[in-house]
Amino acid sequence: MRVTVERAALLKSLGRVHRVVERRTTIPILSNILLRADGASLQMKATDLDIEVVETTPATVVQPGATTVPAHVVYDIVRKLPEGSEISLDTGSDSGTMILSAGRARFTLQTLPDTDFPDITAGEMSHTFSLSGAALKKLIEKTQFAISLEETRYYLNGIFLHTIEGEGGELKLRAVATDGHRLARAEIEAPEGTVGMPGVIVPRKAVQELQRLLESDEAGVDIELSVNKIRFSVGQTILTSKLIDGTFPDYARVIPSGNDKVMQVDTASFGKAVDLVSTVSSERGRAVKLAIGQDQLVLTVNNPDSGSATEEIPVGYESDPLEIGFNARYLLDITSQIESGNARFELADPGSPTLIRDDSDDATLYVLMPMRV
């Protein structure tokens, strides 16, 4: 294999694929990326056996061929080479090494055979549909913060993507994530091709990689899925991931419907107040108490080790007074997703879940479990 490629193009592509490669792995070939030169392009592929990323970049191919090289090493080399460099990759006659050269710099890298590189993309995809980058970005960003990090509840370690019939009979594509303490739900109008699609749980790592790929809202995304795999095509990048093999819980049961105490609050003021009083909280005790009264809210944090803090802000509230506690970080996570100037809290009592909505966005909602304070 002998190929020449511009540094900027190679660095951009390597930046997308090398992140998938685990730095510590017991299988040597998984530390490498596959390079395949053919026609007028260089294809790069990386995998950890759960996720696979394929990226194609324009190149001058003198001699077609394929090999695998250490992912993080080749990325660091290209990153440190001068801007505007023209990089040459040459396996020559020695199948065990590849020479990477740019200007006067020359590196000899150990390789492994491309035939040993695993392929996780085989298999039929039952459903295919397309979304705008902005729509998919919204579904991810509005829900991903609520993904559980608890490995024992592996079925919560991703975003549940499924279709559901809306109140008017129209089909919706819905994303849901929960960690048992909070729940985030977002939906958009279901695109053509989603009818009858299975509900799938997209793993956290795939969600994170997809977020990085969706840098531009203008990008269109083609999605293919089956019961055990999902594939996202964004420009010249193809991300394929195994799905979480588990059953997502019946989340509708935890979404309250009878919360009749409504508090309207300025999102920015509320976020600043929570952030301010939680300064004295400890990592173990992140509870902030909300004392809600007629048109006013008093936020309080008590920490036996460092002291206490209170802050008062105006709110719209006309029901009976209520005191309820929440995890401060969870409150901040949710309010950071509310884009309008007004957040709507629908409450019941100090021990029941609270529903939080964005006044200007009917397509998203958040549920937050209270804490004892």
Side-chain angles (χ1 to χ4, degrees):
M1 180 185 84
R2 191 178 305 158
V3 60
T4 304
V5 61
E6 289 182 7
R7 174 193 173 272
L10 184 59
L11 182 63
K12 185 177 180 181
S13 296
L14 284 171
R16 286 176 174 159
V17 298
H18 92 285
R19 289 191 303 255
V20 174
V21 180
E22 299 287 352
R23 287 194 177 270
R24 293 182 180 178
T25 176
T26 55
I27 306 171
I29 194 72
L30 295 183
S31 296
N32 285 16
I33 55 170
L34 174 66
L35 303 176
R36 188 181 302 280
D38 192 26
S41 63
L42 177 66
Q43 185 188 80
M44 284 156 269
K45 184 190 289 188
T47 185
D48 64 359
L49 296 183
D50 289 321
I51 297 177
E52 177 185 277
V53 175
V54 179
E55 174 87 12
T56 305
T57 192
T60 303
V61 179
V62 179
Q63 185 178 333
T67 190
T68 77
V69 291
H72 296 291
V73 174
V74 74
Y75 173 73
D76 285 341
I77 290 171
V78 174
R79 182 172 58 85
K80 293 174 182 179
L81 287 171
E83 286 185 26
S85 299
E86 189 122 306
I87 297 172
S88 172
L89 309 173
D90 188 356
T91 55
S93 57
D94 183 358
S95 59
T97 60
M98 182 187 81
I99 295 170
L100 184 157
S101 54
R104 297 181 181 179
R106 178 185 171 96
F107 301 85
T108 302
L109 303 177
Q110 295 296 318
T111 64
L112 291 171
D114 62 287
T115 51
D116 293 350
F117 200 82
D119 182 10
I120 72 162
T121 60
E124 286 278 322
M125 296 291 191
S126 60
H127 288 75
T128 302
F129 55 95
S130 298
L131 284 177
S132 69
L136 185 56
K137 213 171 172 183
K138 175 186 174 180
L139 287 179
I140 291 173
E141 290 181 350
K142 297 292 184 185
T143 56
Q144 60 87 25
F145 69 89
I147 294 174
S148 175
L149 302 176
E150 199 177 316
E151 296 300 332
T152 52
R153 304 172 78 187
Y154 66 94
Y155 49 86
L156 298 182
N157 294 162
I159 291 177
F160 182 43
L161 199 63
H162 60 297
T163 54
I164 195 158
E165 192 175 300
E167 291 178 4
E170 71 283 6
L171 196 65
K172 299 283 188 180
L173 181 63
R174 181 178 284 180
V176 179
T178 182
D179 60 5
H181 304 290
R182 62 233 171 118
L183 179 144
R185 192 190 84 187
E187 61 189 27
I188 58 171
E189 190 175 323
E192 194 175 328
T194 54
V195 176
M197 70 170 260
V200 298
I201 308 173
V202 185
R204 180 175 61 248
K205 185 174 179 180
V207 169
Q208 291 168 342
E209 291 304 320
L210 188 57
Q211 269 189 294
R212 293 185 180 113
L213 290 179
L214 294 171
E215 295 163 352
S216 168
D217 289 357
E218 291 77 36
V221 184
D222 295 325
I223 302 173
E224 302 166 77
L225 62 82
S226 65
V227 291
N228 54 19
K229 289 195 183 76
I230 191 164
R231 178 182 296 146
F232 301 92
S233 300
V234 187
Q236 296 299 311
T237 309
I238 301 171
L239 169 66
T240 306
S241 173
K242 290 181 180 177
L243 296 165
I244 292 176
D245 183 15
T247 303
F248 201 79
D250 182 9
Y251 64 87
R253 294 190 321 173
V254 302
I255 299 176
S257 57
N259 290 14
D260 57 352
K261 297 179 173 67
V262 177
M263 179 181 76
Q264 302 270 7
V265 61
D266 179 78
T267 311
S269 300
F270 180 76
K272 286 176 182 174
V274 172
D275 190 34
L276 180 63
V277 297
S278 64
T279 308
V280 300
S281 67
S282 65
E283 278 303 312
R284 289 177 61 188
R286 300 277 297 175
V288 54
K289 182 173 78 174
L290 275 56
I292 312 167
Q294 189 76 28
D295 293 334
Q296 72 165 18
L297 168 65
V298 178
L299 300 95
T300 307
V301 170
N302 285 306
N303 182 354
D305 298 325
S306 60
S308 62
T310 62
E311 170 73 314
E312 184 179 319
I313 60 171
V315 296
Y317 185 77
E318 297 177 353
S319 300
D320 295 335
L322 175 69
E323 290 189 355
I324 189 169
F326 295 110
N327 181 302
R329 184 168 62 83
Y330 294 169
L331 279 174
L332 291 171
D333 283 344
I334 291 173
T335 52
S336 70
Q337 298 301 321
I338 295 177
E339 295 176 10
S340 75
N342 202 55
R344 177 185 174 93
F345 285 67
E346 298 175 12
L347 309 108
D349 58 66
S352 299
T354 292
L355 195 60
I356 305 171
R357 298 181 186 270
D358 185 336
D359 252 8
S360 67
D361 184 4
D362 294 335
T364 60
L365 65 80
Y366 308 96
V367 179
L368 186 56
M369 297 300 292
M371 292 177 72
R372 286 184 182 178
V373 286

